[in-house]
Amino acid sequence: MESKSVGVLGGGAWGTGLAQALANGGHKVQMWALEPEVKESVNNEHENKRYLPGYKLSENLTVSNDIIEVATDKEFIIIASPSLFLASTIRKITSVPNVADGSTIFAALTKGFVPSKDGPKLVLETIENTLPGIYKGNTVYVAGPSHAEEVAMGKLTGLVAASENPKNSIKVRELMRVPGLMVYSSLDVIGVQICSAAKNVIAVVYGAMDAIAEHSQVFGDNAESLLMAAGLNEIQTLGMAMGATHPETFTSISGVGDLDVTCKSKFGRNRRFGQDIIKSDILSKFKNLDDLIENIGKVGYLPEGAVACKYIHEICERKGIKLTICDGLFRVLNKEIRPLQLMTELMNYGDQSLS
């Protein structure tokens, strides 16, 4: 395999995990991180002690705090910035020569929706509207059941590389042909992005139900599987309303596969957040959902589902869609109802959720 030069924008867990897989596969990878301590720990000790502690990283992976340096002369740039900071991150590198002339291929790992004055936008839409015009329809979205910890360990992981440009999808797939990764191409850019964002919302509810089930005579494994099935239906309903092109997207690894691991894995931050809503009343720290998003750092980790929940609510209102689970979580996070009331509603309206 020919070694490629790769820049990764974002030094969080998922960005680090994929950067490690690529570096371990022989690519020369440079990662941009805001935090000086991430640079120091990765470059000197080959470990991201802040965001992915306990995992030894390849010497082919280095970190810089200079985003221009990381973007310059790279054949591929992989965006792993949180959705709230996505557009501002991209704007910093638009004048880099290999970006300005369109010679670098962009792929995105960012999950969720991006706020704008015209309503929530998808990740690739935001990226392509910020980059030079040559990138319209040419960026790639990468998603799948892929917790950073297992990717960093080299454990087998399946991903989807979705793009309107099939050649670029294949180029990203070939880049990621490294030990531990199996990557498949897709043309359903919207469907894959919706799966990646919405599954986090379902996982928060799953985590809450899981915590309640520890001391419940009502909820158990059967109820949790029912919730996952209903949640998958809601994801597909949202995806098709947003313009997804392939129904099988929702029954493949980017749909049911990613939903399953996000709900059930011990590494899942969204599942953990749902559990913390029940076990430690974490929502007592916040006035409502907007306050939670503005002060998300107080949580101690990033539950993407809380942010996505707000934007899915906005999209549903605009399109006249009723999603019982997603709407219920919105009302819980917005302090309109208590978590147990949501669970009662899900029992009463289960047939609707599964219809």
Side-chain angles (χ1 to χ4, degrees):
M1 181 191 67
E2 182 184 354
S3 177
K4 302 291 185 180
S5 58
V6 183
V8 177
L9 305 185
W14 183 201
T16 302
L18 187 62
Q20 161 62 10
L22 296 176
N24 194 49
H27 297 299
K28 192 71 174 177
V29 184
Q30 188 177 35
M31 186 166 68
W32 170 68
L34 275 172
E35 303 86 356
E37 64 267 29
V38 172
K39 174 184 175 181
E40 294 301 316
S41 67
V42 173
N43 291 348
N44 298 331
E45 302 175 59
H46 305 295
E47 179 185 355
N48 188 338
K49 290 187 173 181
R50 176 161 181 171
Y51 294 112
L52 199 63
Y55 297 89
K56 193 70 173 177
L57 303 177
S58 168
E59 293 186 6
N60 281 341
L61 171 59
T62 60
V63 172
S64 172
N65 298 135
D66 183 349
I67 194 170
I68 300 298
E69 177 189 344
V70 171
T72 299
D73 294 331
K74 297 300 191 294
E75 296 168 89
F76 293 85
I77 290 178
I78 296 173
I79 304 163
S81 169
S83 59
L84 292 173
F85 312 111
L86 181 63
S88 61
T89 298
I90 301 300
R91 280 194 290 268
K92 294 175 182 176
I93 62 168
T94 53
S95 62
V96 172
N98 49 288
V99 175
D101 66 16
S103 59
T104 294
I105 294 175
F106 275 79
L109 309 179
T110 302
K111 299 177 175 67
F113 300 91
V114 183
S116 81
K117 61 182 180 180
D118 301 320
K121 302 295 185 184
L122 292 172
V123 168
L124 289 195
E125 180 182 13
T126 302
I127 292 171
E128 291 178 5
N129 285 342
T130 308
L131 287 172
I134 194 171
Y135 284 100
K136 289 284 187 182
N138 292 315
T139 58
V140 183
Y141 191 77
V142 177
S146 50
H147 282 301
E149 293 82 359
E150 291 196 355
V151 173
M153 285 187 282
K155 290 192 173 184
L156 183 62
T157 298
L159 297 171
V160 170
S163 179
E164 293 178 31
N165 183 332
K167 291 183 179 179
N168 282 356
S169 172
I170 291 169
K171 287 178 181 178
V172 169
R173 187 183 73 193
E174 292 303 308
L175 173 75
M176 296 182 178
R177 192 185 292 273
V178 296
L181 296 184
M182 296 178 64
V183 186
Y184 304 86
S185 292
S186 172
L187 296 174
D188 191 2
V189 175
I190 293 176
V192 173
Q193 290 181 90
I194 292 296
C195 287
S196 183
K199 50 93 176 181
N200 289 323
V201 177
I202 306 303
V204 174
V205 181
Y206 186 98
M209 181 178 283
D210 191 56
I212 294 171
E214 292 181 10
H215 307 286
S216 172
Q217 298 299 315
V218 176
F219 300 118
D221 291 348
N222 295 344
E224 289 176 355
S225 291
L226 178 64
L227 174 65
M228 281 188 60
L232 183 62
N233 275 0
E234 292 199 2
I235 293 170
Q236 184 168 19
T237 298
L238 178 65
M240 299 307 289
M242 293 284 288
T245 55
H246 292 63
E248 60 268 26
T249 294
F250 303 94
T251 55
S252 74
I253 59 175
S254 62
V256 66
D258 205 359
L259 176 64
D260 180 76
V261 78
T262 305
C263 287
K264 294 182 178 179
S265 174
K266 63 182 179 181
F267 298 121
R269 292 185 298 270
N270 294 285
R271 168 183 167 150
R272 176 183 172 187
F273 183 63
Q275 292 173 326
D276 286 344
I277 289 173
I278 303 301
K279 293 184 175 182
S280 62
D281 194 21
I282 197 169
L283 295 183
S284 63
K285 298 179 180 180
F286 310 102
K287 298 176 185 176
N288 51 34
L289 180 52
D290 285 337
D291 187 43
L292 167 61
I293 292 172
E294 289 172 11
N295 297 282
I296 201 79
K298 292 182 180 179
V299 175
Y301 52 91
L302 179 60
E304 297 99 333
V307 182
C309 186
K310 174 181 178 177
Y311 299 127
I312 289 175
H313 182 75
E314 289 184 24
I315 292 168
C316 287
E317 284 195 327
R318 287 169 179 256
K319 293 186 174 293
I321 304 169
K322 175 65 175 178
L323 302 179
T324 303
I325 300 170
C326 294
D327 180 66
L329 181 62
F330 173 85
R331 289 184 293 133
V332 169
L333 300 184
N334 210 36
K335 298 294 190 72
E336 297 174 22
I337 62 173
R338 295 286 297 168
L340 286 176
Q341 185 178 339
L342 169 59
M343 297 303 166
T344 300
E345 289 183 5
L346 293 181
M347 291 170 59
N348 292 337
Y349 295 102
D351 289 343
Q352 268 184 235
S353 298
L354 287 168
S355 62

